[in-house]
């Protein structure tokens, strides 16, 4: 069975500092990996995805993520966080042989001014 | 405007009273899916559909039914709701290319079963 782990329930950073949100996964076959963000009282919005190719993926709003196959990780990063980045972030995975999508429990990011 | 719509947005009902939450998308997407969001558990997939008349179970299908008679619609049916189905529900859709495309999410339906 496939699964996603987001080991940190909360991440707190100061504005202007680097932001990292961790994600590890378990899946059969090659992984397709995604990051989504949820702002309060809103649906989820897509940030970025890894399907194949370059291990460093760039996405919306200045976010990027690094795929590490040996560590089965797909950490989300932003070099300089903004207060407006405060939200709930979800990592998701799908195996190449399956159309079922599994999400992590989510990480709440708070960026203080 | 490309969007996924859900109705109703809020629903309070009683145990055992059948209900349907509708989901519709205007992007001609093949793939549609239902999720429930619970604190500490993230999103869990209930059912998904890869095209008309093609549906499959996600991780938590018990107590739910779906149908896909038209490409744009994917209703979620609770035949006999129970309090443990109180949750925030999201519908999503995406293209189904060779790999997988990002999903577009609806605004959510907050369901309370008493």
């Amino acid at each position: 069975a496939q699964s996603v782990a987001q080991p940190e329930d909360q991440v707190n950073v100061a504005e202007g500092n680097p932001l990292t949100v961790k994600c590890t996964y378990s899946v059969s076959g090659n992984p397709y990996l995604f990051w989504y963000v949820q702002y309060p009282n809103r649906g989820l919005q897509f940030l970025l995805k890894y399907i194949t190719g370059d291990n460093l993926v760039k996405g919306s709003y200045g976010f990027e993520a690094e795929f590490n196959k040996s560590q089965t990780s797909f950490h989300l990063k932003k070099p300089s966080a903004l207060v407006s980045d405060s939200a709930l972030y979800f990592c998701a995975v799908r195996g190449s042989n399956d159309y079922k999508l599994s999400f992590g429990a989510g990480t709440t990011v708070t960026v203080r001014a | 405007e490309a969007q996924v719509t859900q109705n109703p947005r809020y629903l309070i009902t009683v145990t055992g009273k059948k209900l349907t939450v509708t989901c519709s998308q205007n992007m001609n997407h093949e793939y549609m899916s239902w999720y429930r969001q619970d604190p500490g558990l993230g999103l869990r997939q209930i059912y998904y559909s890869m095209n008309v008349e093609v549906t499959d179970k996600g991780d938590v299908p018990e107590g739910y039914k779906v149908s896909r008679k038209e490409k744009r619609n994917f209703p979620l049916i609770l035949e006999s709701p129970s309090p443990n189905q109180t949750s925030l529900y999201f519908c999503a859709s995406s293209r189904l290319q060779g790999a997988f495309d990002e999903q577009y999410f609806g605004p959510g339906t907050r369901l309370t079963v008493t």
Side-chain angles (χ1 to χ4, degrees), chain B residues 29-75:
Chain B
H29 285 166
E30 295 87 3
Y31 188 95
M32 296 186 75
S33 181
W34 276 102
Y35 301 90
R36 59 179 290 174
Q37 182 178 9
D38 302 289
L41 297 176
L43 269 76
R44 292 178 292 169
Q45 194 172 41
I46 303 171
Y47 271 95
Y48 62 95
S49 170
M50 289 182 285
N51 216 323
V52 174
E53 303 292 2
V54 182
T55 63
D56 208 346
K57 296 177 181 179
D59 289 324
V60 288
E62 295 78 19
Y64 304 94
K65 286 177 58 178
V66 294
S67 68
R68 187 93 180 270
K69 293 183 170 57
E70 302 168 285
K71 197 172 186 180
R72 62 182 293 124
N73 296 323
F74 190 46

Short mmCIF file of all heavy atoms in Angstrom, two decimals, chain B residues 29-75:
data_model
loop_
_atom_site.label_atom_id
_atom_site.label_comp_id
_atom_site.label_asym_id
_atom_site.label_seq_id
_atom_site.Cartn_x
_atom_site.Cartn_y
_atom_site.Cartn_z
N HIS B 29 -12.58 17.13 -17.96
CA HIS B 29 -11.59 16.24 -17.36
C HIS B 29 -12.11 14.81 -17.30
O HIS B 29 -13.28 14.56 -17.01
CB HIS B 29 -11.26 16.71 -15.94
CG HIS B 29 -10.39 17.92 -15.91
ND1 HIS B 29 -10.21 18.67 -14.76
CD2 HIS B 29 -9.64 18.51 -16.87
CE1 HIS B 29 -9.38 19.65 -15.02
NE2 HIS B 29 -9.02 19.59 -16.30
N GLU B 30 -11.18 13.88 -17.55
CA GLU B 30 -11.55 12.47 -17.47
C GLU B 30 -11.60 12.00 -16.01
O GLU B 30 -12.46 11.22 -15.63
CB GLU B 30 -10.54 11.59 -18.23
CG GLU B 30 -10.48 11.83 -19.72
CD GLU B 30 -9.52 12.96 -20.09
OE1 GLU B 30 -8.85 13.52 -19.18
OE2 GLU B 30 -9.44 13.29 -21.28
N TYR B 31 -10.64 12.44 -15.21
CA TYR B 31 -10.47 11.93 -13.86
C TYR B 31 -11.21 12.80 -12.87
O TYR B 31 -11.08 14.02 -12.87
CB TYR B 31 -8.98 11.91 -13.51
CG TYR B 31 -8.61 11.24 -12.22
CD1 TYR B 31 -8.22 9.90 -12.18
CD2 TYR B 31 -8.60 11.95 -11.02
CE1 TYR B 31 -7.85 9.29 -10.99
CE2 TYR B 31 -8.24 11.34 -9.82
CZ TYR B 31 -7.86 10.02 -9.82
OH TYR B 31 -7.49 9.41 -8.64
N MET B 32 -12.01 12.16 -12.00
CA MET B 32 -12.67 12.86 -10.90
C MET B 32 -12.54 12.02 -9.65
O MET B 32 -12.42 10.79 -9.70
CB MET B 32 -14.15 13.12 -11.22
CG MET B 32 -14.34 14.06 -12.42
SD MET B 32 -16.04 14.53 -12.72
CE MET B 32 -16.30 15.73 -11.38
N SER B 33 -12.58 12.71 -8.51
CA SER B 33 -12.30 12.03 -7.26
C SER B 33 -13.00 12.71 -6.10
O SER B 33 -13.24 13.92 -6.15
CB SER B 33 -10.79 12.01 -7.01
OG SER B 33 -10.47 11.32 -5.82
N TRP B 34 -13.30 11.95 -5.06
CA TRP B 34 -13.84 12.48 -3.82
C TRP B 34 -12.87 12.19 -2.68
O TRP B 34 -12.32 11.08 -2.59
CB TRP B 34 -15.19 11.84 -3.48
CG TRP B 34 -16.34 12.49 -4.15
CD1 TRP B 34 -17.03 12.04 -5.25
CD2 TRP B 34 -16.95 13.73 -3.78
NE1 TRP B 34 -18.02 12.92 -5.58
CE2 TRP B 34 -18.00 13.96 -4.69
CE3 TRP B 34 -16.71 14.65 -2.77
CZ2 TRP B 34 -18.82 15.09 -4.61
CZ3 TRP B 34 -17.52 15.78 -2.68
CH2 TRP B 34 -18.57 15.99 -3.61
N TYR B 35 -12.71 13.20 -1.80
CA TYR B 35 -11.87 13.08 -0.63
C TYR B 35 -12.64 13.57 0.59
O TYR B 35 -13.52 14.41 0.48
CB TYR B 35 -10.61 13.96 -0.76
CG TYR B 35 -9.74 13.64 -1.94
CD1 TYR B 35 -9.96 14.27 -3.17
CD2 TYR B 35 -8.70 12.73 -1.84
CE1 TYR B 35 -9.16 13.97 -4.26
CE2 TYR B 35 -7.89 12.44 -2.93
CZ TYR B 35 -8.14 13.07 -4.13
OH TYR B 35 -7.34 12.78 -5.21
N ARG B 36 -12.23 13.06 1.74
CA ARG B 36 -12.69 13.64 2.99
C ARG B 36 -11.47 14.14 3.76
O ARG B 36 -10.40 13.53 3.72
CB ARG B 36 -13.50 12.66 3.82
CG ARG B 36 -12.82 11.39 4.23
CD ARG B 36 -13.75 10.52 5.09
NE ARG B 36 -13.96 11.12 6.42
CZ ARG B 36 -14.81 10.63 7.33
NH1 ARG B 36 -15.54 9.55 7.05
NH2 ARG B 36 -14.94 11.21 8.51
N GLN B 37 -11.65 15.27 4.42
CA GLN B 37 -10.56 15.86 5.18
C GLN B 37 -10.94 15.89 6.65
O GLN B 37 -11.96 16.48 7.03
CB GLN B 37 -10.24 17.28 4.71
CG GLN B 37 -9.08 17.92 5.45
CD GLN B 37 -8.74 19.31 4.94
OE1 GLN B 37 -9.47 19.90 4.14
NE2 GLN B 37 -7.62 19.84 5.36
N ASP B 38 -10.13 15.27 7.47
CA ASP B 38 -10.34 15.22 8.91
C ASP B 38 -9.08 15.67 9.63
O ASP B 38 -7.97 15.34 9.19
CB ASP B 38 -10.72 13.79 9.35
CG ASP B 38 -11.96 13.29 8.65
OD1 ASP B 38 -13.04 13.80 8.97
OD2 ASP B 38 -11.84 12.41 7.76
N PRO B 39 -9.22 16.40 10.72
CA PRO B 39 -8.04 16.92 11.44
C PRO B 39 -7.07 15.80 11.81
O PRO B 39 -7.47 14.77 12.34
CB PRO B 39 -8.66 17.55 12.69
CG PRO B 39 -10.05 17.91 12.28
CD PRO B 39 -10.48 16.83 11.34
N GLY B 40 -5.80 16.04 11.50
CA GLY B 40 -4.78 15.06 11.84
C GLY B 40 -4.66 13.90 10.87
O GLY B 40 -3.71 13.12 10.95
N LEU B 41 -5.62 13.78 9.96
CA LEU B 41 -5.60 12.66 9.01
C LEU B 41 -5.37 13.12 7.59
O LEU B 41 -5.20 12.30 6.68
CB LEU B 41 -6.91 11.87 9.09
CG LEU B 41 -7.20 11.19 10.43
CD1 LEU B 41 -8.58 10.54 10.41
CD2 LEU B 41 -6.12 10.17 10.75
N GLY B 42 -5.40 14.40 7.36
CA GLY B 42 -5.20 14.91 6.01
C GLY B 42 -6.37 14.59 5.12
O GLY B 42 -7.51 14.48 5.57
N LEU B 43 -6.10 14.43 3.84
CA LEU B 43 -7.13 14.04 2.87
C LEU B 43 -7.04 12.55 2.62
O LEU B 43 -5.96 12.01 2.39
CB LEU B 43 -6.92 14.77 1.55
CG LEU B 43 -7.63 16.10 1.40
CD1 LEU B 43 -6.91 17.16 2.18
CD2 LEU B 43 -7.74 16.50 -0.07
N ARG B 44 -8.18 11.92 2.61
CA ARG B 44 -8.25 10.51 2.29
C ARG B 44 -9.20 10.32 1.12
O ARG B 44 -10.32 10.84 1.13
CB ARG B 44 -8.69 9.70 3.51
CG ARG B 44 -7.66 9.69 4.63
CD ARG B 44 -8.17 8.92 5.83
NE ARG B 44 -9.29 9.60 6.49
CZ ARG B 44 -10.05 9.04 7.42
NH1 ARG B 44 -9.83 7.79 7.78
NH2 ARG B 44 -11.02 9.74 7.98
N GLN B 45 -8.76 9.56 0.16
CA GLN B 45 -9.55 9.37 -1.05
C GLN B 45 -10.66 8.37 -0.81
O GLN B 45 -10.43 7.28 -0.30
CB GLN B 45 -8.64 8.91 -2.19
CG GLN B 45 -9.27 8.99 -3.56
CD GLN B 45 -8.25 8.71 -4.65
OE1 GLN B 45 -7.41 7.83 -4.54
NE2 GLN B 45 -8.33 9.47 -5.74
N ILE B 46 -11.87 8.73 -1.22
CA ILE B 46 -13.03 7.89 -1.02
C ILE B 46 -13.27 7.02 -2.26
O ILE B 46 -13.29 5.79 -2.19
CB ILE B 46 -14.28 8.73 -0.73
CG1 ILE B 46 -14.04 9.62 0.49
CG2 ILE B 46 -15.50 7.85 -0.51
CD1 ILE B 46 -15.14 10.65 0.72
N TYR B 47 -13.48 7.65 -3.38
CA TYR B 47 -13.66 6.99 -4.67
C TYR B 47 -13.02 7.87 -5.74
O TYR B 47 -12.90 9.08 -5.57
CB TYR B 47 -15.14 6.82 -5.00
CG TYR B 47 -15.77 5.54 -4.51
CD1 TYR B 47 -16.45 5.52 -3.29
CD2 TYR B 47 -15.70 4.36 -5.26
CE1 TYR B 47 -17.04 4.34 -2.83
CE2 TYR B 47 -16.29 3.19 -4.80
CZ TYR B 47 -16.95 3.19 -3.59
OH TYR B 47 -17.54 2.03 -3.13
N TYR B 48 -12.69 7.24 -6.85
CA TYR B 48 -12.25 8.00 -8.00
C TYR B 48 -12.82 7.37 -9.26
O TYR B 48 -13.27 6.22 -9.26
CB TYR B 48 -10.72 8.10 -8.07
CG TYR B 48 -9.99 6.78 -8.20
CD1 TYR B 48 -9.61 6.29 -9.45
CD2 TYR B 48 -9.63 6.06 -7.07
CE1 TYR B 48 -8.92 5.10 -9.55
CE2 TYR B 48 -8.94 4.87 -7.18
CZ TYR B 48 -8.59 4.40 -8.41
OH TYR B 48 -7.90 3.21 -8.52
N SER B 49 -12.77 8.17 -10.32
CA SER B 49 -13.31 7.72 -11.60
C SER B 49 -12.37 8.17 -12.72
O SER B 49 -11.98 9.34 -12.75
CB SER B 49 -14.70 8.32 -11.83
OG SER B 49 -15.14 8.09 -13.15
N MET B 50 -12.06 7.24 -13.60
CA MET B 50 -11.15 7.57 -14.70
C MET B 50 -11.89 7.96 -15.97
O MET B 50 -11.27 8.44 -16.93
CB MET B 50 -10.21 6.41 -14.94
CG MET B 50 -9.19 6.26 -13.82
SD MET B 50 -8.03 4.94 -14.11
CE MET B 50 -9.07 3.52 -13.76
N ASN B 51 -13.20 7.72 -15.98
CA ASN B 51 -14.01 8.15 -17.11
C ASN B 51 -15.45 7.72 -16.87
O ASN B 51 -15.76 7.11 -15.83
CB ASN B 51 -13.50 7.59 -18.43
CG ASN B 51 -13.66 8.57 -19.58
OD1 ASN B 51 -14.65 9.30 -19.65
ND2 ASN B 51 -12.69 8.59 -20.47
N VAL B 52 -16.31 8.01 -17.80
CA VAL B 52 -17.72 7.66 -17.64
C VAL B 52 -17.85 6.15 -17.42
O VAL B 52 -17.22 5.36 -18.12
CB VAL B 52 -18.51 8.08 -18.89
CG1 VAL B 52 -19.95 7.60 -18.80
CG2 VAL B 52 -18.46 9.60 -19.06
N GLU B 53 -18.64 5.81 -16.39
CA GLU B 53 -18.92 4.41 -16.04
C GLU B 53 -17.70 3.65 -15.54
O GLU B 53 -17.75 2.43 -15.42
CB GLU B 53 -19.55 3.67 -17.23
CG GLU B 53 -20.83 4.28 -17.77
CD GLU B 53 -22.01 4.17 -16.81
OE1 GLU B 53 -21.85 3.66 -15.69
OE2 GLU B 53 -23.10 4.66 -17.18
N VAL B 54 -16.61 4.33 -15.23
CA VAL B 54 -15.41 3.69 -14.68
C VAL B 54 -15.09 4.31 -13.32
O VAL B 54 -14.66 5.46 -13.25
CB VAL B 54 -14.19 3.84 -15.60
CG1 VAL B 54 -12.98 3.11 -15.00
CG2 VAL B 54 -14.49 3.32 -16.99
N THR B 55 -15.34 3.56 -12.26
CA THR B 55 -15.06 4.06 -10.91
C THR B 55 -14.29 3.01 -10.13
O THR B 55 -14.34 1.81 -10.45
CB THR B 55 -16.35 4.40 -10.15
OG1 THR B 55 -17.13 3.21 -9.98
CG2 THR B 55 -17.18 5.44 -10.89
N ASP B 56 -13.59 3.45 -9.09
CA ASP B 56 -12.83 2.53 -8.27
C ASP B 56 -12.71 3.08 -6.86
O ASP B 56 -12.84 4.30 -6.63
CB ASP B 56 -11.45 2.27 -8.85
CG ASP B 56 -10.91 0.90 -8.47
OD1 ASP B 56 -11.48 0.25 -7.55
OD2 ASP B 56 -9.91 0.47 -9.06
N LYS B 57 -12.47 2.17 -5.92
CA LYS B 57 -12.40 2.56 -4.53
C LYS B 57 -11.07 3.22 -4.19
O LYS B 57 -10.02 2.83 -4.70
CB LYS B 57 -12.56 1.31 -3.64
CG LYS B 57 -13.91 0.63 -3.77
CD LYS B 57 -13.95 -0.63 -2.93
CE LYS B 57 -15.30 -1.32 -3.07
NZ LYS B 57 -15.36 -2.58 -2.29
N GLY B 58 -11.16 4.21 -3.31
CA GLY B 58 -9.97 4.80 -2.74
C GLY B 58 -9.64 4.11 -1.43
O GLY B 58 -9.89 2.92 -1.27
N ASP B 59 -9.14 4.87 -0.50
CA ASP B 59 -8.72 4.29 0.78
C ASP B 59 -9.85 4.12 1.79
O ASP B 59 -9.77 3.27 2.67
CB ASP B 59 -7.62 5.17 1.41
CG ASP B 59 -6.31 5.07 0.64
OD1 ASP B 59 -6.00 3.98 0.15
OD2 ASP B 59 -5.60 6.10 0.55
N VAL B 60 -10.90 4.92 1.67
CA VAL B 60 -11.99 4.87 2.67
C VAL B 60 -13.36 4.86 2.00
O VAL B 60 -14.18 5.76 2.20
CB VAL B 60 -11.87 6.06 3.66
CG1 VAL B 60 -10.70 5.85 4.59
CG2 VAL B 60 -11.77 7.39 2.93
N PRO B 61 -13.70 3.83 1.22
CA PRO B 61 -14.96 3.82 0.48
C PRO B 61 -16.19 3.38 1.28
O PRO B 61 -17.32 3.58 0.82
CB PRO B 61 -14.67 2.81 -0.62
CG PRO B 61 -13.72 1.83 0.02
CD PRO B 61 -12.86 2.68 0.93
N GLU B 62 -15.98 2.80 2.46
CA GLU B 62 -17.11 2.22 3.20
C GLU B 62 -18.13 3.29 3.56
O GLU B 62 -17.81 4.33 4.12
CB GLU B 62 -16.61 1.53 4.48
CG GLU B 62 -15.70 0.33 4.24
CD GLU B 62 -14.28 0.74 3.87
OE1 GLU B 62 -13.90 1.90 4.15
OE2 GLU B 62 -13.56 -0.10 3.31
N GLY B 63 -19.40 3.00 3.25
CA GLY B 63 -20.48 3.92 3.58
C GLY B 63 -20.79 4.93 2.49
O GLY B 63 -21.68 5.77 2.66
N TYR B 64 -20.07 4.86 1.39
CA TYR B 64 -20.25 5.81 0.29
C TYR B 64 -20.53 5.08 -1.01
O TYR B 64 -20.11 3.94 -1.20
CB TYR B 64 -19.00 6.67 0.11
CG TYR B 64 -18.56 7.42 1.34
CD1 TYR B 64 -17.60 6.88 2.19
CD2 TYR B 64 -19.09 8.66 1.64
CE1 TYR B 64 -17.18 7.56 3.33
CE2 TYR B 64 -18.66 9.36 2.77
CZ TYR B 64 -17.72 8.79 3.60
OH TYR B 64 -17.32 9.47 4.73
N LYS B 65 -21.22 5.77 -1.90
CA LYS B 65 -21.41 5.30 -3.27
C LYS B 65 -21.16 6.46 -4.21
O LYS B 65 -21.33 7.63 -3.84
CB LYS B 65 -22.84 4.78 -3.48
CG LYS B 65 -23.14 3.44 -2.86
CD LYS B 65 -24.60 3.05 -3.07
CE LYS B 65 -24.98 3.00 -4.51
NZ LYS B 65 -26.41 2.56 -4.70
N VAL B 66 -20.78 6.13 -5.43
CA VAL B 66 -20.61 7.14 -6.46
C VAL B 66 -21.17 6.61 -7.76
O VAL B 66 -21.42 5.42 -7.92
CB VAL B 66 -19.12 7.52 -6.67
CG1 VAL B 66 -18.55 8.22 -5.45
CG2 VAL B 66 -18.31 6.29 -7.05
N SER B 67 -21.36 7.52 -8.71
CA SER B 67 -21.73 7.13 -10.07
C SER B 67 -21.12 8.14 -11.03
O SER B 67 -20.89 9.29 -10.66
CB SER B 67 -23.24 7.08 -10.23
OG SER B 67 -23.81 8.37 -10.14
N ARG B 68 -20.86 7.70 -12.24
CA ARG B 68 -20.31 8.60 -13.26
C ARG B 68 -21.04 8.31 -14.57
O ARG B 68 -20.57 7.59 -15.43
CB ARG B 68 -18.80 8.36 -13.42
CG ARG B 68 -18.14 9.37 -14.33
CD ARG B 68 -17.59 10.54 -13.58
NE ARG B 68 -16.96 11.51 -14.45
CZ ARG B 68 -15.68 11.50 -14.81
NH1 ARG B 68 -14.88 10.50 -14.43
NH2 ARG B 68 -15.19 12.47 -15.56
N LYS B 69 -22.21 8.89 -14.69
CA LYS B 69 -23.03 8.69 -15.88
C LYS B 69 -22.71 9.72 -16.96
O LYS B 69 -22.97 9.49 -18.14
CB LYS B 69 -24.50 8.73 -15.51
CG LYS B 69 -24.93 7.56 -14.63
CD LYS B 69 -26.42 7.60 -14.34
CE LYS B 69 -26.91 6.33 -13.69
NZ LYS B 69 -26.19 6.01 -12.44
N GLU B 70 -22.21 10.85 -16.54
CA GLU B 70 -21.80 11.90 -17.47
C GLU B 70 -20.38 12.31 -17.12
O GLU B 70 -19.99 12.24 -15.95
CB GLU B 70 -22.71 13.13 -17.35
CG GLU B 70 -24.17 12.86 -17.57
CD GLU B 70 -24.99 14.07 -17.14
OE1 GLU B 70 -25.15 14.28 -15.93
OE2 GLU B 70 -25.44 14.83 -18.02
N LYS B 71 -19.66 12.78 -18.09
CA LYS B 71 -18.26 13.13 -17.85
C LYS B 71 -18.12 14.26 -16.85
O LYS B 71 -17.19 14.29 -16.06
CB LYS B 71 -17.60 13.51 -19.18
CG LYS B 71 -16.09 13.50 -19.13
CD LYS B 71 -15.52 13.70 -20.52
CE LYS B 71 -14.01 13.55 -20.52
NZ LYS B 71 -13.46 13.73 -21.87
N ARG B 72 -19.02 15.22 -16.86
CA ARG B 72 -18.85 16.40 -16.04
C ARG B 72 -19.31 16.21 -14.59
O ARG B 72 -18.95 16.99 -13.72
CB ARG B 72 -19.61 17.57 -16.66
CG ARG B 72 -21.10 17.38 -16.76
CD ARG B 72 -21.76 18.58 -17.44
NE ARG B 72 -21.67 19.78 -16.60
CZ ARG B 72 -21.14 20.91 -17.00
NH1 ARG B 72 -20.65 21.02 -18.23
NH2 ARG B 72 -21.08 21.95 -16.22
N ASN B 73 -20.10 15.18 -14.30
CA ASN B 73 -20.70 15.04 -12.97
C ASN B 73 -20.22 13.79 -12.24
O ASN B 73 -20.09 12.72 -12.86
CB ASN B 73 -22.22 15.00 -13.07
CG ASN B 73 -22.80 16.30 -13.60
OD1 ASN B 73 -22.31 17.38 -13.29
ND2 ASN B 73 -23.83 16.19 -14.42
N PHE B 74 -20.05 13.93 -10.94
CA PHE B 74 -19.57 12.80 -10.13
C PHE B 74 -20.17 12.94 -8.73
O PHE B 74 -19.51 13.34 -7.79
CB PHE B 74 -18.05 12.82 -10.09
CG PHE B 74 -17.40 11.58 -9.50
CD1 PHE B 74 -17.82 10.31 -9.87
CD2 PHE B 74 -16.35 11.69 -8.59
CE1 PHE B 74 -17.23 9.18 -9.35
CE2 PHE B 74 -15.74 10.56 -8.07
CZ PHE B 74 -16.18 9.30 -8.46
N PRO B 75 -21.43 12.57 -8.55
CA PRO B 75 -22.08 12.73 -7.25
C PRO B 75 -21.60 11.72 -6.22
O PRO B 75 -21.29 10.57 -6.57
CB PRO B 75 -23.56 12.54 -7.59
CG PRO B 75 -23.56 11.68 -8.82
CD PRO B 75 -22.34 12.06 -9.59
#
